Amino acid sequence: MSKINFVISNVPAELALAAQLIDNRDDNAHPLNHNDFYKSRAVILAKTVVGEIVGCAVIKAGEGMVGELGYLVVSRHHRRRGIAQGLTQKRIEVAQTLGIAILYATIRAENAASKANLLKAGFQFWRNYLSIRGTGNTVGWYFLALTEDIDASEVMQSLVGDRIPVKECLVAEKS
């Protein structure tokens, strides 16, 4: 594998290229909300030694002790080289410097690669819920506590609110 650098960027031209990379991804995820993307707390780029952007990932907009991961994408021609894992590790490091105490991410049930990436980085599975977008997709919630004094269970419950876990949804439908 050629050397990949993982860098934080707020350079408008690089952010535009990263957004284009996300827009052109080959999965069936929902479209990128460009306004939200540009408000991200941190945009991490995976760049080759010649400066080509081959991947990106963000800590989404927000403030305080909770950070949401999102928009991880790696160029089709650079996959299976550890870039997604490097982007995740860099986001964890950045989150710590930003004073974030807990990171979380939501992953569609069929996205085995993203789930494996998070678990390898130390994230824990929380629960599965149905997508609030009305797609019928099952979405898994994952978290990583970055400090020992955080009640991860309390934080995660506050994030999911009154959503009903998928297992409970299935039981209710059968009654």
Side-chain angles (χ1 to χ4, degrees):
M1 170 175 117
S2 60
K3 174 92 170 100
I4 299 293
N5 297 307
F6 299 99
V7 298
I8 301 171
S9 181
N10 59 6
V11 177
E14 289 183 336
L15 296 179
L17 289 171
Q20 184 178 22
L21 185 63
I22 296 167
D23 281 334
N24 293 331
R25 66 185 177 242
D26 55 359
D27 64 8
N28 66 352
H30 57 279
L32 174 65
N33 180 318
H34 286 258
N35 288 330
D36 288 348
F37 174 76
Y38 287 103
K39 293 177 186 173
S40 296
R41 286 166 102 164
V43 177
I44 312 301
L45 303 178
K47 297 169 76 174
T48 65
V49 292
V50 295
E52 177 188 7
I53 296 171
V54 296
C56 71
V58 308
I59 300 172
K60 291 183 174 183
E63 55 188 47
M65 67 176 200
V66 179
E68 181 182 6
L69 301 186
Y71 306 127
L72 188 146
V73 65
V74 176
S75 167
R76 178 179 305 151
H77 305 294
H78 291 85
R79 292 183 185 153
R80 310 293 304 160
R81 300 180 189 178
I83 295 171
Q85 191 67 49
L87 286 164
T88 297
Q89 284 304 132
K90 184 68 172 181
R91 287 187 294 178
I92 292 168
E93 293 168 17
V94 170
Q96 291 171 320
T97 65
L98 293 174
I100 293 172
I102 189 167
L103 287 171
Y104 78 97
T106 57
I107 307 292
R108 290 186 329 277
E110 68 273 10
N111 190 340
S114 288
K115 291 189 288 189
N117 177 30
L118 290 180
L119 293 171
K120 187 174 182 180
F123 279 73
Q124 296 178 44
F125 172 72
W126 173 249
R127 292 187 185 120
N128 283 321
Y129 295 89
L130 290 177
S131 170
I132 60 171
R133 290 188 171 86
T135 62
N137 290 335
T138 297
V139 177
W141 288 61
Y142 296 79
F143 72 93
L144 177 65
L146 301 175
T147 63
E148 292 182 18
D149 61 341
I150 186 116
D151 184 341
S153 182
E154 182 180 312
V155 172
M156 291 305 294
Q157 191 56 53
S158 73
L159 293 170
V160 299
D162 60 0
R163 292 181 179 96
I164 300 171
V166 168
K167 188 175 187 181
E168 293 176 26
C169 290
L170 297 176
V171 171
E173 287 177 6
K174 291 180 181 178
S175 326

